[in-house]
Amino acid sequence: MAKDNHFSAEDIFALEYASDVQISRDGEQIAYVRSGYDIMTDGNRHSLWLYDLDSNRNLPLLADGHSYTQPRWSPDGSRLAYVSDASGSRQLHLYWLEEGKSALLTQLQRGISNLSWSPDGQWLAFTMDVPQGKSDYAKSVKRLTKPKGAKWADEPIIVDKVRYQADGRGLLEPVFKQIFVLPATGGTPRQLTHGDFQHQGPLAWHPDGKSIVFSANFNAQWEYQTGESDLHQVEVQTGKLTSLTQAPGSESQPSFSADGKYLAYLQEDNEPMPYHTSRVALMKWDSKDSKVLTKELDRSVDALTWQASRQLVVQYDDRGKRKLAELSLSGKLKPLTDKLSGTSLGRPYISGKYSVADNGAIAFTSANPQRPADVGYLYKGKTRQLTALNEDLLAHKALGQVHEIEYASSFDGEKIQGWYITPPNFDPAKKYPLLLEIHGGPHLAYGPHFAAELQRYAAEGYVVFYDNHRGSTSYGERFAMLLDGKYSSKEDFADHNSGVDAMIAKGFIDPNNLFIAGGSAGGIATAYAIGLTDRFNAAAITKPVINWVSKVLTADSYLGQIRNQFPGMPWDNLEHYWQRSPLSLVGNVKTPALILTGEADRRTPISESEQYYQALKLQKVDTVLVRVPGAPHGIAGKPSRMIAKIEHTLAWFERYKKSQAN
């Protein structure tokens, strides 16, 4: 049992974090979403808070039990638009800061996103899904009229779209994301875009307020073109559309300079490969000529924001950390901070967001290996943390300490970066069980960030080791592409296995107590690993792919995955798909395996786990299948499910923990 001052399962319900930090244009106030969990509803709580930089006061703005998200400042800083369910459904609201008054602006049937103010503060733009209606085939089906009072079975569901399902949403109603504008005083939203296309945000108002730039693919075959989109301009008064880019690949996240001379945006190519570097491009608005500003940066830029009209602030990931940098219009980078973190509570994924004021001040989510995200502030080269949301919970807890490690892979000598968490009251003279935990993606990355799941394992006496194996992001395109056509393989297994060897060499790991776990791509890697070695006492495999042929033909990600990750269709490349499948190695498996998957998972459907469970049972390998009712791929989205995942894993490993030899 964990000691009273160790991080416990119950503590997960009490965690809080800051997100969607929005600094006012004058740089005087920061609005942010304060998020946490509700132990009674097993859900998320989102309230709006305001940090006043002049008085250094952190005050609740809207915190009454309802959900508040998407805070967006009006240009003059007098009003705050936000989305809330306070009226009974998620609607757009407006809050007047000086008066302390709020108003309901909409009565919409569907949720909104990409909320954006017009430059004069008179309009709000947003995107919202609009139903397509019945297809021609559906209209042609003859339907009988039920007798009054008759109870018939539900009508059949017709599926005819290329993308017909989505994890967490189930079967998709045919809808198209359209752009709307609404007077800031409320009224009837007016639809600006039409047609059977997805009009994507963020929405960039031209400084003259007459048009909005967005991203969309207007090709007739857009459903099949997962890596294609262009920038387009829609006139607010007339709805007239003008295409701005026609380059192969994707152009997205448009943002105007304050003087309207430039449009900055992100650009990716469209080659059929699993990883694409996202670069910043700059368009001269008068000539529409563009150039790439980050040619020399071998990292993908995730977000960009203007500092007035002089330069940009960009966000990118580097060696397990999220960084901010100033980017000049000539392409010169000036680092600002690498402290963005803390909005991914369960596992130590890179995360974090920021916003910029006209005076250059930056608000961001600031965190460290011991704490989730607080509100951070950067001004004139100096950073400070403004809030301390978890001190009441964590200040008196003995948490695991996070340490960095670098080692060479036994496969080819490639340098691999990793981290390990030592248990509270760690004694290097003792021997500890080791838990290797593998991240998902595989084109994602862990880092030295707070992770509730891994802290729980450390609290129970495990040294928790995790690495950014080949294929991970934040190390450049070459490193990410090392897994091209080799996911999973002996190569990424060598990266993990070499890390285990490097940890044992430190002298405080019990080599007779080694455990392995991972989720999604990490679950695939775990299942593949125990087909290659029996060195681990037990494995915990969460939401894996076991058979790539069945996966790509049943999951929601088939379009982009087949095109970018495999050499062709599965029926034409069976040998390749089979070689990548952990099922091909199941005959070698001797390691006891816990398999845990959500029953509503459409990204790695539970049929994958069922195949592995039955195959292991046929092999007479000790195995347990844990089915999580109602859970999608984001299995830890509810706190009780995160806790269940942790506690089932701990119980499984405890069954196979060996006593230390004298």
Side-chain angles (χ1 to χ4, degrees):
M1 297 291 291
K3 296 181 180 179
D4 290 342
N5 70 334
H6 287 190
F7 188 69
S8 68
E10 292 79 5
D11 291 335
I12 290 174
F13 274 105
L15 290 171
E16 294 185 275
Y17 64 97
S19 64
D20 208 352
V21 289
Q22 297 290 323
I23 191 167
S24 58
R25 288 184 59 175
D26 61 12
E28 295 182 359
Q29 298 181 101
I30 300 170
Y32 69 97
V33 177
R34 183 169 176 170
S35 298
Y37 296 130
D38 188 329
I39 197 170
M40 300 305 295
T41 64
D42 195 22
N44 296 294
R45 292 183 288 103
H46 304 292
S47 57
L48 280 187
W49 284 64
L50 192 70
Y51 193 95
D52 183 81
L53 288 157
D54 184 50
S55 63
N56 286 320
R57 298 178 69 198
N58 184 38
L59 301 170
L61 192 65
L62 294 162
D64 55 10
H66 296 293
S67 176
Y68 299 92
T69 59
Q70 297 187 56
R72 296 296 181 267
W73 288 102
S74 63
D76 64 2
S78 66
R79 294 160 293 169
L80 196 67
Y82 61 93
V83 174
S84 173
D85 61 0
S87 65
S89 61
R90 296 188 63 77
Q91 300 294 333
L92 180 58
H93 299 249
L94 197 61
Y95 188 92
W96 282 260
L97 272 294
E98 185 174 345
E99 294 81 4
K101 301 288 186 179
S102 62
L104 174 68
L105 298 186
T106 60
Q107 291 288 345
L108 302 172
Q109 300 301 309
R110 295 174 182 271
I112 70 171
S113 56
N114 299 303
L115 187 59
S116 177
W117 283 88
S118 65
D120 62 5
Q122 299 302 306
W123 295 86
L124 288 158
F126 56 86
T127 59
M128 184 174 68
D129 288 340
V130 175
Q132 177 194 29
K134 289 185 177 180
S135 66
D136 291 341
Y137 171 69
K139 292 176 183 177
S140 71
V141 176
K142 182 179 179 180
R143 289 176 171 81
L144 299 181
T145 301
K146 287 190 299 185
K148 186 177 181 179
K151 295 181 179 180
W152 290 8
D154 292 339
E155 284 196 14
I157 298 170
I158 298 173
V159 175
D160 60 4
K161 289 296 182 186
V162 178
R163 185 171 184 265
Y164 67 95
Q165 63 170 328
D167 183 66
R169 296 167 62 188
L171 288 178
L172 296 175
E173 177 190 7
V175 294
F176 298 97
K177 192 176 296 295
Q178 306 288 356
I179 300 172
F180 292 78
V181 289
L182 174 77
T185 52
T188 302
R190 178 163 57 91
Q191 187 174 335
L192 290 186
T193 58
H194 301 83
D196 294 352
F197 303 102
Q198 305 296 350
H199 304 78
Q200 305 289 357
L203 306 178
W205 286 84
H206 189 276
D208 66 11
K210 295 180 180 179
S211 63
I212 296 171
V213 174
F214 62 96
S215 181
N217 183 357
F218 289 153
N219 188 286
Q221 296 294 311
W222 65 268
E223 286 188 279
Y224 291 94
Q225 298 175 339
T226 57
E228 294 283 349
S229 66
D230 293 303
L231 296 182
H232 308 273
Q233 178 187 17
V234 59
E235 294 183 8
V236 175
Q237 284 297 320
T238 66
K240 178 184 176 182
L241 285 172
T242 304
S243 294
L244 302 175
T245 63
Q246 293 86 33
S250 171
E251 289 83 53
S252 63
Q253 294 202 36
S255 180
F256 277 104
S257 60
D259 58 14
K261 292 182 178 179
Y262 298 100
L263 179 71
Y265 57 95
L266 297 184
Q267 180 185 71
E268 292 183 11
D269 62 34
N270 67 343
E271 295 178 9
M273 49 196 284
Y275 176 82
H276 298 91
T277 301
S278 179
R279 296 182 170 88
V280 179
L282 187 69
M283 176 187 292
K284 288 184 177 180
W285 189 245
D286 56 357
S287 67
K288 302 300 186 287
D289 293 333
S290 295
K291 65 176 181 178
V292 175
L293 296 184
T294 55
K295 285 183 179 179
E296 304 304 317
L297 178 65
D298 186 23
R299 301 290 186 269
S300 280
V301 175
D302 302 311
L304 56 85
T305 308
W306 283 92
Q307 278 188 327
S309 299
R310 302 182 303 275
Q311 59 195 2
L312 293 154
V313 175
V314 297
Q315 169 185 298
Y316 62 94
D317 299 340
D318 182 48
R319 293 185 59 79
K321 292 184 177 182
R322 178 151 292 175
K323 294 184 174 182
L324 286 182
E326 290 179 350
L327 177 65
S328 73
L329 302 192
S330 63
K332 183 178 180 180
L333 275 175
K334 177 186 175 184
L336 294 173
T337 182
D338 64 358
K339 302 301 182 184
L340 273 73
S341 182
T343 58
S344 174
L345 290 191
R347 292 185 284 166
Y349 284 110
I350 301 176
S351 62
K353 294 292 185 181
Y354 74 100
S355 64
V356 181
D358 287 349
N359 65 354
I362 298 174
F364 63 98
T365 54
S366 173
N368 60 57
Q370 304 293 308
R371 297 291 187 273
D374 278 294
V375 178
Y377 178 69
L378 169 62
Y379 186 54
K380 293 184 177 180
K382 295 183 179 180
T383 62
R384 58 188 175 109
Q385 184 176 302
L386 303 180
T387 61
L389 302 182
N390 288 283
E391 291 310 293
D392 57 331
L393 171 69
L394 299 179
H396 64 284
K397 295 286 183 178
L399 296 176
Q401 298 298 306
V402 179
H403 314 264
E404 185 176 345
I405 183 174
E406 187 173 80
Y407 56 92
S409 173
S410 63
F411 179 77
D412 55 5
E414 186 74 38
K415 292 293 184 182
I416 305 297
Q417 184 185 29
W419 294 266
Y420 60 96
I421 305 176
T422 50
N425 307 313
F426 173 71
D427 182 352
K430 295 182 178 179
K431 299 285 187 180
Y432 293 86
L434 179 73
L435 195 169
L436 162 63
E437 211 279 343
I438 305 173
H439 73 64
H443 301 298
L444 292 173
Y446 278 165
H449 313 296
F450 180 83
E453 294 183 30
L454 306 196
Q455 285 288 345
R456 275 292 299 128
Y457 298 138
E460 295 299 326
Y462 291 86
V463 171
V464 186
F465 164 64
Y466 56 95
D467 64 68
N468 281 340
H469 55 280
R470 66 190 65 214
S472 300
T473 54
S474 77
Y475 300 88
E477 187 169 314
R478 182 198 66 84
F479 190 82
M481 288 296 291
L482 290 177
L483 268 191
D484 186 20
K486 303 171 183 177
Y487 160 47
S488 283
S489 68
K490 293 180 180 179
E491 298 181 23
D492 54 305
F493 167 72
D495 296 349
H496 303 308
N497 205 41
S498 299
V500 172
D501 292 339
M503 290 300 300
I504 293 173
K506 288 186 172 293
F508 49 77
I509 298 300
D510 179 3
N512 294 315
N513 277 303
L514 306 177
F515 301 85
I516 184 171
S520 194
I524 304 169
T526 300
Y528 208 89
I530 62 174
L532 296 173
T533 182
D534 60 359
R535 78 181 305 188
F536 297 102
N537 299 41
I541 304 165
T542 304
K543 52 191 181 184
V545 174
I546 297 302
N547 180 346
W548 276 110
V549 174
S550 56
K551 191 275 184 186
V552 298
L553 296 179
T554 55
D556 68 346
S557 53
Y558 72 114
L559 280 170
Q561 200 154 49
I562 291 174
R563 176 183 184 271
N564 296 325
Q565 190 174 303
F566 290 95
M569 296 297 179
W571 46 88
D572 294 324
N573 299 272
L574 276 174
E575 184 178 352
H576 180 92
Y577 279 76
W578 183 245
Q579 187 180 17
R580 299 279 70 80
S581 300
L583 192 59
S584 68
L585 302 174
V586 72
N588 303 332
V589 176
K590 298 182 177 64
T591 306
L594 168 75
I595 311 166
L596 187 147
T597 300
E599 290 188 338
D601 193 327
R602 288 177 180 263
R603 184 62 45 80
T604 55
I606 197 168
S607 57
E608 295 296 307
S609 294
E610 291 170 335
Q611 288 181 67
Y612 204 50
Y613 174 76
Q614 294 186 183
L616 290 176
K617 284 297 186 184
L618 290 171
Q619 291 287 109
K620 298 182 179 178
V621 175
D622 192 13
T623 183
V624 171
L625 175 63
V626 179
R627 306 171 64 101
V628 185
H633 194 64
I635 204 167
K638 289 183 176 292
S640 70
R641 289 174 179 163
M642 183 191 300
I643 292 168
K645 175 188 172 187
I646 297 165
E647 299 307 316
H648 279 81
T649 299
L650 285 169
W652 184 251
F653 287 171
E654 194 64 30
R655 288 165 58 95
Y656 295 99
K657 192 181 292 183
K658 299 176 183 177
S659 299
Q660 289 188 21
N662 294 327

